[in-house]
Amino acid sequence: MSETTVPVTSVAPAAVPTRGRRARIALRTVQVLLALFYGVASALPKLIGNQYAVDAFDKIGWGGVGMYTIGALELAGAVALLVPVLQSVAAIALSALMAGAFFVQMIVFHGENAATPLILIVPLALIAWARRGSTRDLLGLVRRRA
């Protein structure tokens, strides 16, 4: 070997264990799937005035204003799930929205589809807990701006 040749060895970085990397990828995948669900399947029908959504919100007594407000909140939550500094706060906010949806389903619709919001709270709570460091980062940004 010449003096300018350096032997190359294959060394896996110790700072990135495979298990931790897989967990981060799985969590990010869940976030993307939830963002797609909230943006496309949940918010979009409300924002375009789908007849099913209109009828449901009329039955609740909130009408179009409530429908568009909930749709906008769901869309904002979907987008925020994909923004690293907002992801934990978005998961908490969407969990609160789902808790409200559960109570509405129980009271107004007599439990019809009441399991759906509860099921969605589980991955949202996981995201909020796993990404809790982003809440700390967000608080740091807010404090610097104040």
Side-chain angles (χ1 to χ4, degrees), residues 2-3 6 16 30 64 80 108 118 130 135 137:
S2 74
E3 294 175 20
V6 178
V16 185
V30 170
V108 178
L118 292 180
T135 304
D137 296 342

Side-chain angles (χ1 to χ4, degrees), residues 29-56:
T29 302
V30 170
Q31 284 178 244
V32 169
L33 290 174
L34 282 172
L36 285 171
F37 170 79
Y38 279 106
V40 176
S42 193
L44 187 62
K46 294 172 183 81
L47 295 174
I48 65 172
N50 179 286
Q51 193 59 47
Y52 179 78
V54 170
D55 293 343

